[in-house]
């Protein structure tokens, strides 16, 4: 079975507290939005204490075109991705030249050549490395990327595959967007990158094995989550339906997935769940009858970093790898949802 050997993470240098984000939002929208004080209560309920941004606070007080945002995206995403890869490789005593395949996941900016090509030059990776850029999976991209890596590892069991997920969600903030969705996103979003080393059967190493994975895309749900492209860049689309979808569908989806792996909910002790926001976490708790301790890492990552989209669940996975490094014969399910509206599930065994 393919295995996860290591996870590395990186965040930009600008640290923003929730109170600072709330104060700045009040300054920017005062007089432009009715009932602003009522709407700003989303900052109180987001359960985010800090997050990290690729731009200083004053950057958000000005209008920016999409090219301006994307230029900053490329520069910052490249640096964060490189740092996350090195953070992933250092504990296992490997270098970037040891990687056979690079999967690059992102949704908050564009580049051609895609950033995986830029990373190959920056980190002096081998010229024969295989490139697989994935765009548009949103929050589900981290699990989706690891799932694709597992497929490649089964096809080439002697390979080392690096999955990099990087998102600069804060750069999508729209000064002219007075919608509730923009305020909710501002209360939740942060920037970050994560890298996961997946290896095949023939590569020596330790870590949980990837037992299986699955994807689900619900019909008639294209309006639930995503971006609208406007002159100033990417404008967030967030529906109130998301927690409802979690509550109504996640249990059946997880049960069906586990049945396909000859398991049941009783066999799973650990849940590596993308937080989305507090209501999504509550949806997981209720639908899967989880204990609060089973979402402790999910809550703590949301509190420390906010919702970084695709890397977030991989930050949580890193904490699970540390917690479970000495256990055996325990199962975990990693899950995340994204535009489509879609869900990705991954079954791990320690």
């Amino acid at each position: 079975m393919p295995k996860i050997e290591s996870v590395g993470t990186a965040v930009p240098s600008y640290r923003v507290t929730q109170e600072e984000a709330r104060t700045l939002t009040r300054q920017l929208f005062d007089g432009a939005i009715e009932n602003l004080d009522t709407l700003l209560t989303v900052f109180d309920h987001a359960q985010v204490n800090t997050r990290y941004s690729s731009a200083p606070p004053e950057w958000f007080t000005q209008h920016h075109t999409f090219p301006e945002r994307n230029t900053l995206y490329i520069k910052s995403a490249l640096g964060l991705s490189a740092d996350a890869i090195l953070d992933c490789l250092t504990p296992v005593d490997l270098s970037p030249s040891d990687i056979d395949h690079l999967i690059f996941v992102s949704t908050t900016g564009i580049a051609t050549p895609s950033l995986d090509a830029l990373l190959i030059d920056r980190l002096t990776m081998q010229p024969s490395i295989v490139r697989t850029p994935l765009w548009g999976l949103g929050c589900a991209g981290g699990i989706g990327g690891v799932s694709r890596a597992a497929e490649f590892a089964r096809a080439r069991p002697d390979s080392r595959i690096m999955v990099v997920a990087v998102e600069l969600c804060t750069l999508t903030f729209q000064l002219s967007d007075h919608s509730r969705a923009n305020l909710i996103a501002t209360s939740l979003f942060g920037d970050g990158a994560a890298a996961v080393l997946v290896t095949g059967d023939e590569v020596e190493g330790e870590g949980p094995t990837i037992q299986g994975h699955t994807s689900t895309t619900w019909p008639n749900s294209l309006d639930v989550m995503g971006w609208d492209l406007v002159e100033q860049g990417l404008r967030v689309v967030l529906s109130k339906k998301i927690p409802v979808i979690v509550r109504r569908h996640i249990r059946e989806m997880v049960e069906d997935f586990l049945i396909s792996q000859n398991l049941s909910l009783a066999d799973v002790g650990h849940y590596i769940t993308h937080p989305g926001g507090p209501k999504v976490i509550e949806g997981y708790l209720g639908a899967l009858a989880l204990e609060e301790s089973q979402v402790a890492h999910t809550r703590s990552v949301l509190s420390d970093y906010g919702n970084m989209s695709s890397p977030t669940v991989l930050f949580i996975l890193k904490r699970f790898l540390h917690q479970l490094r000495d256990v055996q014969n325990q199962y975990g399910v990693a899950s995340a949802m994204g535009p489509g509206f879609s869900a990705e599930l991954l079954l791990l065994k320690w």
Side-chain angles (χ1 to χ4, degrees), residues 75-250:
K75 178 181 178 181
S76 185
L78 180 60
L80 290 172
S81 297
D83 289 346
I85 289 173
L86 295 176
D87 187 56
C88 178
L89 292 174
T90 298
V92 290
D93 197 26
L94 294 173
S95 68
S97 61
D98 294 312
I99 302 303
D100 305 301
H101 192 147
L102 179 60
I103 298 176
F104 181 81
V105 178
S106 193
T107 307
T108 46
I110 59 174
T112 304
S114 48
L115 287 186
D116 46 299
L118 278 66
L119 282 167
I120 291 169
D121 275 356
R122 179 161 181 156
L123 296 176
T124 318
M125 293 175 148
Q126 54 181 302
S128 60
I129 191 169
V130 179
R131 294 169 49 200
T132 303
L134 299 176
W135 197 91
L137 294 177
C139 299
I143 299 300
V146 175
S147 297
R148 301 296 81 74
E151 294 170 353
F152 288 122
R154 289 188 180 95
R156 295 184 175 182
D158 61 343
S159 61
R160 291 187 175 96
I161 304 165
M162 181 64 69
V163 180
V164 182
V166 59
E167 306 287 5
L168 307 187
C169 298
T170 66
L171 300 188
T172 67
F173 171 78
Q174 297 288 331
L175 188 57
S176 58
D177 181 3
H178 300 159
S179 68
R180 179 177 175 83
N182 191 37
L183 288 179
I184 293 173
T186 305
S187 73
L188 287 170
F189 279 170
D191 299 347
V196 181
L197 178 62
V198 177
T199 57
D201 279 346
E202 297 177 12
V203 179
E204 291 186 7
E206 298 180 353
T209 55
I210 300 172
Q211 300 286 305
H213 58 84
T214 191
S215 302
T216 300
T217 299
W218 286 278
N220 303 314
S221 61
L222 298 177
D223 60 341
V224 172
M225 180 188 294
W227 305 116
D228 283 334
L229 181 58
V230 297
E231 185 176 354
Q232 292 77 30
L234 301 172
R235 183 173 62 194
V236 68
V237 175
L238 285 177
S239 170
K240 296 179 180 179
K241 301 176 185 177
I242 297 172
V244 176
I245 292 174
V246 173
R247 290 194 300 269
R248 289 181 179 176
H249 299 294
I250 193 67

Side-chain angles (χ1 to χ4, degrees), residues 4-11 80-92 162-166 192-198 305 308 310-319 321:
I4 295 175
E5 285 202 41
S6 181
V7 177
T9 56
V11 293
L80 290 172
S81 297
D83 289 346
I85 289 173
L86 295 176
D87 187 56
C88 178
L89 292 174
T90 298
V92 290
M162 181 64 69
V163 180
V164 182
V166 59
V196 181
L197 178 62
V198 177
Y305 300 100
M308 299 169 284
S310 63
T312 314
V313 71
L314 305 180
F315 274 64
I316 298 166
L317 175 60
K318 184 177 183 179
R319 298 190 179 192
L321 291 187

Side-chain angles (χ1 to χ4, degrees), residues 329-350:
N329 297 319
Q330 294 187 19
Y331 288 98
V333 170
S335 63
M337 296 182 174
F341 185 64
S342 299
E344 296 280 345
L345 295 178
L346 192 72
L347 178 64
L348 302 176
K349 184 179 181 181
W350 275 264

